[in-house]
Amino acid sequence: MLEGYTALDLTGAAGQLAGKLLAELGMRVLKAEPPEGDAVRRLGPFKDGVPHPDGSLRFAFLNGGKESFVGDVVEAATRVDVVLESGSVDVAGLRAANPGLVVCSITGFGLTGPRAGWLAPDIVVQAMGGLMYISGEPSLAPVQAPDAQGFGFGSVAAALGVVAALRRRELTGHGDHVDVSLQEALATQEHLIREFAQGGASIRRDGSQHKHVAPGRIFPCRDGHVFLFISSIHWKRFLELWSEHPAEFESDEWASAGYRRENHAVVDEAVEQFTRRFRKLEFSELMQEGGIPCLPVYAPSEFMADPHVALRGSFGPVEHSHLGSYVAPRLPVTIDGERVPAAAPPRLGANRGEPARHRPVGGGSVAMPLEGVRVVSLTTGIAGPNAARLMANLGADVIKVESRAGGIDTFRFFGSDLDSSPRFLETNLDVRSVTLNLKHPEGVGLLRELVAGSDVVLENFRPDVLPRLGLDDESLAALRPGLIVARMPGLGSSGPRALYGTWGPTLAAFSGLTYLWNHPGQAEPVGSQGVYPDYLAAVLVPLVVTAALLRRDRSGGGALLDFAQVEAAAYMLGTSYLETAINGADPLPAGNADPALPLHGCFACRGEDRWCAIACEDEAQWLRLCGLAGIAPETEDRDSAVSAWAGTLDAHEAMNRLQAVGVPAGVVQSGEDLAADPHLEARGFVQSVTHPTLGEVRMAGLPLRFADARTRPYGGAPALGEHNEEIVCGLLGHSLDELAAWQAAGVVH
C-alpha cells in the first residue's frame, strides 16, 4: 500500500513500532543507528537470556521489516518522505531543506506545554495517561500493561498521523509536522475524562469485573480461567445451558442486568460452581454454541496453538542469522485475502542503498487529510464507531447507518433516551445518521445506493450479517470501483471461531493480554478494567484504510480488508510472542518490575489510592533520587526505601520533585487527575461539546497535532435519523414524497 515511500526512523523504543507498521504496509523504512548499534539492541529479553547485539527480542519485533542505516541522518532526511523522531532534531531545518517532508515527533508529553521534555519511560506514560489506574487487582498497586503498551499505542496513533499527512501531501504537494503525545494517546481510552467531568467520579480498579455486566468477569475452570460476559440478551440463554441453576434466578428481578450487577457477588458465587466443572476451552465452546460471549484466558503459547489462529495465519515464519527460524505475529489484517509476511530485523548497517523519496504530485488546497472521502459506517459499540469518528475528525464525511427495526448502536441505550447517551456522543462525534431498515429489501437497496457513492465501507458486525443481505465483499466492491471495504469482527471473518460472539474483555483474555497484565504470582488473572483491544482496533483500522486510500489514489484499485481485533491485541504483545517462539517458554507476568533497571515500580503516596510510578533507568538517576530522598545509595531493599519516602508525599509533589532532578516519575492519574491536568489543559487536549439535553460535555481530544493540516473541530453526535432527508433526498437524489413513503413503510425507520 505504501510502496514507493521512504522513511527515516530516528526513534528509540518509544516510537519504533510506528516505523514497523509503515514498513509492513509497504514503505521502505531505514532505522538510523550509530556505529555501535541502536540502544534498543541492548534491551532484553534476549534469545536464551544471553545479551547479544542481534539477540534482543524487543529490537527484533519493533524493527522487523526495516533496513539499518548508519550514516549522516541530516543529509538523508533531505531524500526521504517521512522522518520519525523523538523530539531531538531541528524539525524546521529539515522541512526547509525538504518541503515535502512529513516529520512525526513521538514524545511522552508532546512538544509543547509545561511538561514537554519530561522524562517518560513507558511506565510513566501509562501512569500519566490513566491506563494504569484502572488496571490490576484492587488490593494491590496499579499495574502497567505488558510489552510497553504506552509506547505501542502511541506509535499506532503516530503511524496514522503519518499516512494522514502523506495523503494531504499527495493532494497539495506540501509536507507537515505531526506532534504525538503518548500521554494523550492513552488518555483517549475508557471515557476517563468525560466520565469524571460529567459525573464527578473516576472509574476505579475492580478486578476483572465489568462495569455494567454480571456475570461479567474471569471465572475459574478445571485447567485455567475463562472470561464470561452475560448481558441482558444472554441471560435467558445462559440459564438454559446451566440446567442446575438456582431456581431464584428465574425471577424477573434477576433478568435485569442492573439488578444482577448490583448483586454480582451472589450470582458470581453460583456461576463459579458451574464453571469449575469444565475445562476452559470446553466451557467456552459450550457457551458459544448458545450464542454467549465467552473465551478462555490464554497464555501466549496457547493462543499460538489454537486452531483458529493457526488457520488464519496470524503468525508467519521468519529466518534470522542469529535468532534462527521462528514465527512472529503478522500485521493483524488480511489485504485482498493475503497476509503481509512476517519479516526479520536488520543486521547493523544492512540496507539496499541510498534513500530516495516519492515525489509529491498534488497542487490543490485540501485542508483536512481525509477531505473528500465518504465513509459508510455500519458499526456499534466502541471499536467501529471510534474508528469511524477518527476518520471524521480527519475530514471524512462519515454516514452512520442504523435502524429502529433492529440495528441501533448499543451505546445509544446508555442515556435517558436514544439521543442523550454520553457514551454514544463521545464515540460518534461529527458523523451523520441515516436510519435504513436492512431487514427490508428496499432498505438494502438504499444502502447499495449509498455505497455506490462512497469510498469506504466500515463494519464491525458478526461476519455473517452483511453476506446474508447479499452484501458480501465482492458484491460491495462491484457497487463502486475502488471501494475500500474494512471489516473488523472480533476474531476475523474466517476461521473455525469466526462466528463467535466477542466483547473487548473476552478478546483481551483470548489474545494473551489478560494473562500477562498482572502482578507476579497472582493466583487468578485480572488484567484491566478497560477494553484495550477495542481502542487499539479503533486506531489501527483508520491507519490501514488511509494507507489503502493512498494506494487507490495512485492505482485506482480498492481493497478488501479483514481485521481481527484479537490479532491486533496479540500483535501488540510481539516481544512476548517472540520470547515464547524463540526461547520456548511463556513469559510470566512481570507486573511493574524491571530487574534490568536500578529501580522500576509503582509506589503508594499520601492519601487513598494515590500512587507514583518511578523508573531509574541508570545508576546516575538512582543516585539523584537518593540525594533527593535521603536514601543511602547502597541500600539493599530499594523498593522499601523509596516506598517509605513516597508515602510521606502527595503523589504530584513526589512526581514534580523527581522530574526536577532528572528522575522519570509520573502520577498514576485517575479520570479526575486527567480532567484537571494542567499540561493537557495547556495543550488544549480536553475538548467541550454542547449537547441539547446533556449540556456541556468535556472529553478527550484528538491525540494528533498537525502543523499545517486542519482537523474537524468537535461538533456533536447525531440524533437517530437526524440526516435522513439530507442523505436520502440531498445525497441520493430521491424526492420528499419517496422519503415519506419509505418512512410510512418502515424502510427509512
Side-chain angles (χ1 to χ4, degrees), residues 167-189:
R167 186 170 191 276
R168 181 175 174 273
R169 186 191 81 161
E170 294 305 303
L171 299 173
T172 66
H174 300 293
D176 212 330
H177 180 204
V178 190
D179 175 12
V180 177
S181 158
L182 300 176
Q183 179 197 22
E184 290 176 356
L186 285 186
T188 60
Q189 297 193 36

Side-chain angles (χ1 to χ4, degrees), residues 167 366 368-374 395-397 455 552:
R167 186 170 191 276
V366 173
M368 295 185 289
L370 296 185
E371 193 170 324
V373 174
R374 179 170 297 137
D397 173 21
D455 302 280
R552 190 192 71 172

Side-chain angles (χ1 to χ4, degrees), residues 719-735:
L720 185 62
E722 178 181 343
H723 303 97
N724 282 345
E725 181 178 329
E726 189 177 294
I727 292 168
V728 175
C729 300
L731 182 61
L732 300 183
H734 295 286
S735 68

